[in-house]
Amino acid sequence: MNEKGYKAYDPGLICLGKQYTENTDFEEDGGIICGAGMMHYCVNPFDVLNFYPLVREDGNFSDFTSVTALEPPVTEDGKKFATKKMHVGAKLGLGGFVKACVDFAIDKTINEMPKPEYVDVSNNAKIGSSGGSAKIGSRGGSAKIGSSGDNAQIGSSGGSAKIGSSGYAAKIGSSGVYAKIGSCGGYAKIGGSG
């Protein structure tokens, strides 16, 4: 099976009174998911924070490691997993744990995004984005786009294109027979043709 995940501990790599060590295999005799005889971990590193805080009440950080389930895991909620046999990897430290969270988020939001063949390219596409320098392009007969950010830049075309943008230097371009543009901001500029 060898499923990879993350485990959190009290300082010193202690979990529920059990002492763990880095780069070591551990085995239990089995039992129920949240009971004795099983070791617990999460696939999503953010989920371990449901069981151990990032910063404890005493001001110390919890410990975190990567882990690998060496036997098929069981779960009741798809967030907390349990196994009888586990490899505990190296201690991550705060920076390593934050990197694991960022890498996981990137993998889930970018690497697992639908491929172009699944993207909506119909005449009624609707897109929303925000960010300091958000840039969006959309096309379709009734394209509707909303974006906010100090340097938002949006381009849209279609017979009834509608665009709204706000920001100090918002820039919008739209073309179409019934093109409509709205913009607000300290230095807003609007240009359109139809």
Side-chain angles (χ1 to χ4, degrees):
M1 178 68 205
N2 296 341
E3 179 177 66
K4 297 193 181 300
Y6 300 90
K7 185 167 179 60
Y9 313 80
D10 289 322
L13 296 181
I14 299 169
C15 179
L16 299 176
K18 179 175 181 172
Q19 177 69 61
Y20 288 85
T21 54
E22 296 177 77
N23 303 311
T24 305
D25 292 347
F26 291 88
E27 188 167 3
E28 294 284 353
D29 57 5
I32 60 174
I33 291 178
C34 289
M38 299 290 269
M39 293 170 285
H40 304 93
Y41 68 96
C42 298
V43 173
N44 178 343
F46 291 103
D47 288 340
V48 301
L49 298 176
N50 293 327
F51 307 100
Y52 284 87
L54 183 62
V55 181
R56 299 159 42 89
E57 288 184 12
D58 61 9
N60 292 316
F61 292 104
S62 294
D63 284 343
F64 304 95
T65 66
S66 60
V67 297
T68 304
L70 301 176
E71 288 199 359
V74 292
T75 184
E76 291 178 342
D77 61 6
K79 293 184 178 191
K80 183 178 183 181
F81 295 83
T83 185
K84 294 190 308 181
K85 192 171 184 182
M86 174 188 296
H87 175 79
V88 174
K91 188 174 170 182
L92 296 176
L94 179 61
F97 178 71
V98 170
K99 183 181 183 317
C101 290
V102 170
D103 290 346
F104 184 85
I106 288 172
D107 186 55
K108 292 298 177 189
T109 58
I110 294 176
N111 297 340
E112 293 186 12
M113 281 179 64
K115 302 302 179 220
E117 60 267 19
Y118 300 111
V119 175
D120 181 9
V121 292
S122 70
N123 285 340
N124 297 312
K126 297 177 182 176
I127 300 174
S129 177
S130 64
S133 298
K135 297 179 182 177
I136 300 176
S138 178
R139 63 185 173 128
S142 299
K144 296 178 182 177
I145 301 176
S147 179
S148 64
D150 289 342
N151 295 306
Q153 297 178 2
I154 301 175
S156 179
S157 63
S160 299
K162 297 177 183 175
I163 301 175
S165 179
S166 64
Y168 292 111
K171 297 176 184 176
I172 299 176
S174 179
S175 63
V177 176
Y178 299 104
K180 297 177 184 176
I181 300 176
S183 179
C184 64
Y187 300 98
K189 295 179 182 177
I190 299 176
S193 63

